[in-house]
Structure formats: C-alpha cells, structure tokens
C-alpha cells in the first residue's frame, strides 16, 4: 500500500528499510507510521496520513504525492555557518544581517527574542542564514532528521588556520554531503599566511579551487566588512549549481529551528519553510505540538501573512513549545493535527517524524544487518590520546578492505569524546572508537539518549581484533 501510495516500487522501500534502518521487511509487513514517513522522506515523497474510524489508518490513505517538476521554482539557499571558536562566525552572521536590515515601517511584532534565522538580499536574490552557528547544532538537527541546511560557510580565521573545531566541522559537513564554501576570515590582520591555511585545508581534504580543487575559498573580514559581496556571490553561484527548488503552491512542510515560551503569547516557534507556503490560519502539526498559525513574523519582527519556501518565520498558535529539529507539516484540519499530536504524546514518541526506532546502533547491529545484503558501510569516529595512536589505529583499520564491507572513518580527532562526536555519530549512524580517552560526562549522557555506542579501548590490537571479528561475522559465507 505504501508503495502504491507513493508511486514507488516496493523494492525501493525494502531497500531503504534495510539500508537506513537495518531491517529486513517483507512486502506485506506492517511498518510504523514514523518509519513510513521516514522512508517517504528518503524517497523525497511527502506523506499525509488520513484518519478514519477514529484510528490512524496506517498507509492505506496516504494522499500526498511528489511535486511535479514543472511546479518547482528556485528557492533561496539555507546556509549554516560553522567554524572554530573565535574565528568569527557570530561576527559574520551579525555583519551580514546588519548590512541588510532596512528601515521598515509598519507594526512591529514586539516579540523581542533571539533571531533563529534571517534572510539577506543580494542582487535581487535572497539567501537564508541560520543563526545557530556551530557544528554540534548542525548535526543535532541532522540527527533529528531535519536536513534544513543546503550549504555551509566554514569560517577559518586566517591568523589561526585550521583548528580542532574546524576539522570537526569539516567532518560533519562531509558526512552530511552538503556543499561548503570557505570564508577565510580576518584578512584585515597583518602578518597572515594565507598559503599556510590553504595548505592546512588541503591536508583535511578540502582542496581550494585555486589549487585545482572543488572548494571555493573567499577572503573576507567580517569585522571590517571586506569581501562579503564576493562571499554572497559565491554562495549564490553554489546554490545555482545545486538547483535548489521547491513547489510554493502546496501545503507547507519544514522544520522548527527553535521554540520558546513568550509571556502573553504562549508558545512561539521559529519555523523554516522547506516546501509550500505557510499561511496564517493553517492547521499545523510540529513534533508533538499542534495548532492554527495565529500570527507570523519575519526576521525583522514584521507581521506577515504568508511564508514561501526557505523563509524563516516566527509563529504563534501552537499549543506547546516544539523543539529544534521537529518537523512541521500543514494538515487539512485541526482535528487531524490534534489527533496526530495526541497520538505522539500518548505513545511518547520521539519528537520528529523521521526519527526511527530500532535502527542499527551497536557495532554488532550494524555489522549483523549486513549479512543478507550488498556493500555495507561501517562508519566510525576515532578519538585517541595522541596523533601517534590515531595514526596507528587508522592504518590498522584501513587494512580491512573487503569488497562487501567498507570501513568509513567519518571523523578522527585527539582528545575525549565530546557532544559534537555524539551528534555526528547519531546523525550518521556511526560507532565511536575511544582509544585511551574517555567521554565527557555530557557526551556520555547524550550518547545514552541518542543510542550511540562508544567503545573504549586501550590496546590497539583490541580495536582491530574487534572490528575484524565483527567484519568476519558479517561476511557472507563463500559459496
Ligand atoms: P565565533 O566564536 O566564531 O562566533 O567568533 P566571534 O564572531 O565571536 O569573533 C571572535 C573575535 O574575533 C571577536 O573579538 C571579533 O571581533 C573578532 N573578529 C571576527 N571577525 C574578524 C575579522 O574579520 N577581523 C578581525 N580582525 N577580527 C575579527
């Protein structure tokens, strides 16, 4: 039924179930609503569930279809700024916004609160910037299934070069597959060595285009407002290359960037529209919250009536405060929204539509799920005490090449396991290998919450033996 409703072959669904959730399903197996939605999302199909006879009909009444190509129009890119602390992320985000704030007239919304995202206009094109810099937030959203970011600006201070969080950011971006533009910041400072920074980027496998690579590096000074036009231009070009499109003429779907409670206005949420147009009066379900959109404000706190794709808006009207990364969907009736929300609350479901339960998380699970199938990736994050041990583990692990198993090192770093590692692991279904290091308390708690496995080792061959044993266990018997 799901296959019919989505117009996609059952095989495609089964393949996604296996690859993404590590579950072998049969063609008439019943799958959960959340899982069906997550599968649909993987296939780029939007689903709406219709309810009948008081119960949620699972997949038989799905009425959504994919947008027809002719309905798609270009939408502004949604951009997140990442980089090492003090390299100028906040300054860049603020400067870009300030340079674009126009004097606006009209009624102000009066909700003075942090702006979660805003739009900048350049040469008649809009760009949306998400104002929560940092790769942990970036991967946290991803781990919730909210892939709102189309592009990343990696800020690297020219006087400091590639630092640990720069490297972490690069790993997070690579794991996400989102295109990246480097903003080489603080070029106003004297005695900077640009070539050295480019070299450091290259050694992280980020090859600047001026060296024949694929990554644009734009020189800027966020503080002195130098090079920002060039940066915006490069971002627009990158956006054009990736043909970002959406159908504005459909009920809106998108994600919550953050929610908060406002004295007098109740719950307020920053939503970003990904498809369709969000309007006042729409019935919305967002995570476990629901309600009519009562009022909408843009990034200048101006009341607006509707929000097209890629536009961030602050809304009121939801019955509770949704969380960052919660998906929102406009549904036909408020009853539908209420029932869905109540069901989610009742079942204590995770806040997002796409968060799945029972996905492979432990080494054994990931490897075990491969017995039946094609090439299996084993994504790993390596943390170690010294560059030497990191090098040793990496070279040992890389020896285990096999046509059916691909060990993929998503990120490696020196030092304890931190929250950023856990978010990356969660977003990418990876295992964390901690060699001679421990996890920070917060990372440990987060790992429990996110179902991420951290395996600690103190002897190199144990790491290697473990992986070898598991790899051998997962290989199909030779015929
Ligand atoms: P974040 O931690 O990455 O958000 O960095 P901030 O934006 O807070 O900037 C850290 C420091 O670098 C602040 O003192 C900024 O004023 C300074 N800074 C940011 N951009 C520039 C720049 O282009 N040139 C110079 N000289 N300083 C900058």
């Amino acid at each position: 039924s799901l296959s019919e409703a989505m117009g996609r072959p059952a095989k495609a669904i089964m393949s996604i179930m296996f690859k993404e959730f590590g579950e072998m399903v049969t063609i008439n197996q019943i799958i959960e609503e959340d899982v069906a939605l997550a599968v649909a999302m993987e296939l780029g199909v939007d689903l709406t569930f219709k309810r009948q006879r008081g119960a949620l009909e699972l997949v038989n009444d799905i009425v959504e279809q994919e947008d027809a190509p002719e309905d798609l129009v270009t939408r502004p890119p949604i951009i997140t700024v990442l980089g090492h602390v003090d390299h100028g992320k906040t300054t860049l985000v603020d400067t870009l916004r300030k340079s674009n704030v126009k004097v606006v007239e009209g009624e102000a919304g009066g909700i003075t609160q942090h702006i979660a995202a805003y739009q900048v206009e350049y040469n008649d094109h809009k760009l949306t910037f998400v104002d929560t810099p940092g790769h942990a937030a970036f991967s946290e959203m991803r781990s919730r299934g909210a892939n709102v970011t189309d592009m990343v600006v990696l800020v690297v201070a020219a006087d400091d070069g590639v630092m640990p969080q720069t490297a972490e950011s690069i790993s997070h971006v690579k794991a996400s597959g989102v295109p990246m533009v480097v903003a080489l910041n603080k070029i106003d400072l004297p005695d900077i060595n640009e070539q050295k920074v480019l070299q450091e980027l290259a050694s992280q496998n980020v090859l600047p285009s001026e060296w024949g690579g694929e990554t644009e590096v734009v020189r800027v000074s966020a503080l002195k407002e130098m090079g920002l036009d060039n940066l915006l231009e490069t971002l627009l070009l990158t956006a054009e290359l990736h043909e970002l499109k959406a159908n504005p003429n459909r009920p809106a779907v998108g994600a919550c960037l953050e929610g908060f409670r406002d004295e007098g206005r109740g719950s307020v949420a920053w939503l970003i529209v990904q498809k369709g147009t969000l309007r006042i009066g729409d019935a919305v379900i967002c995570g476990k919250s629901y309600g009519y959109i009562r009022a909408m404000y843009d990034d200048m706190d101006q009341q607006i009536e509707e929000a097209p794709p890629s536009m961030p808006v602050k809304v009121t009207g939801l019955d509770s405060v949704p969380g960052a990364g919660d998906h929102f969907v406009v549904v036909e009736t408020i009853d539908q929204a209420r029932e869905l929300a109540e069901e989610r609350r009742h079942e204590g479901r995770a806040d997002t539509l796409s968060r799945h339960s029972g996905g492979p998380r432990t080494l054994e699970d990931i490897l075990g799920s491969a017995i039946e199938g094609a090439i299996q990736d084993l994504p790993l994050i390596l943390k170690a005490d010294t560059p030497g041990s990191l090098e040793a583990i990496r070279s040992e692990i890389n020896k285990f090449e096999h046509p059916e198993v691909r060990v993929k090192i998503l990120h490696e770093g020196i030092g304890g396991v931190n929250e950023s590692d856990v978010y990356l692991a969660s977003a990418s279904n990876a295992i964390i290998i901690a060699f001679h290091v421990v996890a920070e308390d917060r990372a440990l708690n987060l790992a429990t919450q996110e179902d991420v496995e951290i395996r600690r080792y103190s002897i190199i061959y144990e790491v290697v033996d473990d992986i070898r044993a598991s790899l051998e266990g997962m290989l199909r018997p030779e015929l």
Side-chain angles (χ1 to χ4, degrees):
S1 306
L2 181 61
S3 150
E4 261 170 38
M6 296 196 300
R8 299 299 173 90
K11 250 170 64 184
I13 298 171
M14 289 154 88
S15 153
I16 284 175
M17 285 299 296
F18 175 63
K19 280 201 217 124
E20 300 295 325
F21 307 110
E23 247 182 86
M24 298 290 294
V25 291
T26 58
I27 200 152
N28 46 17
Q29 188 166 331
I30 290 176
I31 60 177
E32 280 205 85
E33 176 200 350
D34 303 32
V35 177
L37 279 165
V39 167
M41 220 169 266
E42 284 291 331
L43 286 167
V45 178
D46 292 303
L47 298 184
T48 304
F49 289 85
K50 276 198 172 170
R51 294 176 149 266
Q52 283 180 357
R53 298 182 297 278
L56 186 73
E57 289 280 322
L58 262 187
V59 291
N60 295 325
D61 297 303
I62 293 154
V63 289
E64 276 290 336
Q65 11 40 33
E66 208 180 347
D67 292 309
E70 62 268 23
D71 294 334
L72 300 177
V73 296
T74 302
R75 62 173 178 83
I78 302 171
I79 300 157
T80 299
V81 177
L82 306 183
H84 192 73
V85 63
D86 280 349
H87 279 200
K89 298 181 293 294
T90 313
T91 310
L92 180 67
V93 159
D94 288 351
T95 306
L96 286 172
R97 173 149 201 273
K98 263 187 283 164
S99 62
N100 247 269
V101 172
K102 297 171 206 74
V103 182
V104 283
E105 291 179 16
E107 192 187 346
I111 308 177
T112 42
Q113 186 81 24
H114 160 75
I115 285 161
Y118 61 87
Q119 287 192 316
V120 161
E121 214 170 293
Y122 182 74
N123 281 351
D124 291 333
H125 292 285
K126 287 195 167 92
L127 303 95
T128 302
F129 284 88
V130 177
D131 192 12
T132 38
H135 50 286
F138 173 74
S139 279
E140 184 184 357
M141 289 285 278
R142 273 210 322 125
S143 76
R144 311 241 171 283
N147 299 316
V148 294
T149 302
D150 300 309
M151 272 191 261
V152 163
V153 173
L154 179 69
V155 177
V156 185
D159 62 333
D160 209 17
V162 170
M163 298 303 281
Q165 288 163 26
T166 318
E168 285 179 14
S169 300
I170 291 169
S171 301
H172 285 235
V173 175
K174 286 200 165 155
S176 75
V178 167
M180 175 173 87
V181 169
V182 173
L184 190 56
N185 192 29
K186 308 198 185 184
I187 52 149
D188 57 292
L189 292 175
D191 303 328
I192 49 173
N193 187 346
E194 289 181 10
Q195 295 303 309
K196 180 176 155 278
V197 184
L198 296 189
Q199 184 59 57
E200 289 168 357
L201 283 169
S203 69
Q204 297 283 327
N205 289 320
V206 175
L207 198 60
S209 59
E210 58 210 81
W211 288 9
E214 291 201 326
T215 309
E216 296 298 332
V217 177
V218 186
R219 274 84 171 159
V220 300
S221 166
L223 195 66
K224 301 275 157 71
E225 302 188 25
M226 293 155 64
L228 299 183
D229 283 357
N230 199 359
L231 178 63
L232 293 176
E233 216 155 281
T234 307
L235 288 169
L236 284 173
L237 270 172
T238 310
E240 211 173 286
L241 222 64
H242 287 82
E243 297 198 334
L244 304 170
K245 290 182 172 181
N247 176 5
N249 299 311
R250 47 161 290 155
V253 300
C256 172
L257 294 172
E258 62 182 71
F260 57 92
R261 185 160 286 285
D262 177 80
E263 292 281 329
R265 273 170 223 263
S267 59
V268 180
W270 272 101
L271 304 181
I272 190 151
V273 179
Q274 292 178 287
K275 296 175 187 180
T277 299
L278 184 66
R279 295 194 171 82
I280 289 186
D282 279 348
V284 169
I285 166 134
C286 182
K288 291 175 190 160
S289 311
Y290 78 97
Y292 286 117
I293 301 292
R294 203 185 304 143
M296 253 197 301
Y297 306 88
D298 67 8
D299 53 13
M300 312 236 197
D301 232 0
Q302 297 298 299
Q303 281 208 323
I304 52 169
E305 299 287 312
E306 55 178 45
S310 297
M311 182 165 185
V313 284
K314 195 162 51 181
V315 306
T316 65
L318 294 174
D319 72 326
S320 59
V321 179
D326 281 351
H327 284 263
F328 80 81
V329 179
V330 169
V331 290
E332 272 174 44
T333 67
I334 195 75
D335 290 341
Q336 237 176 329
R338 184 191 306 114
E339 272 177 79
L340 271 167
E342 276 168 4
E343 184 148 321
R344 284 181 193 170
R345 285 173 202 175
H346 178 67
E347 294 181 8
R349 280 201 185 139
D351 290 352
T352 58
L353 299 179
S354 73
R355 161 160 294 195
H356 48 81
S357 54
R361 280 293 193 236
T362 68
L363 185 57
E364 285 73 17
D365 285 347
I366 289 183
L367 297 177
S369 69
I371 292 167
E372 308 274 347
I375 296 181
Q376 176 79 357
D377 274 336
L378 173 58
L380 297 177
I381 292 168
L382 307 182
K383 294 304 287 271
D385 53 342
T386 64
S389 40
L390 202 54
E391 170 71 38
I393 294 172
R394 186 197 319 120
S395 73
E396 281 301 307
I397 286 174
N398 282 338
K399 284 182 193 158
F400 292 108
E401 279 186 25
H402 189 278
E404 287 176 35
V405 180
R406 206 165 31 204
V407 176
K408 230 165 104 183
I409 298 173
L410 292 186
H411 175 66
E412 50 178 58
I414 312 295
V417 177
N418 59 30
E419 287 174 288
S420 144
D421 297 325
V422 177
Y423 278 127
L424 178 59
S426 174
S428 307
N429 237 1
I431 303 291
I432 300 175
I433 304 281
F435 185 76
H436 272 304
V437 291
V438 293
E440 295 164 9
D441 282 349
R442 283 166 59 175
L444 214 52
N445 292 338
L446 187 64
T448 312
Q449 184 190 318
E450 298 279 319
D451 258 339
V452 165
E453 190 184 19
I454 301 174
R455 292 172 84 98
R456 284 185 60 193
Y457 298 93
S458 51
I459 304 169
I460 285 194
Y461 74 75
E462 280 181 353
V463 183
V464 172
D465 274 0
D466 244 27
I467 292 176
R468 181 193 292 126
S470 312
L471 282 181
E472 281 166 2
M474 79 192 276
L475 299 181
R476 284 193 299 212
E478 304 264 320
L479 295 176

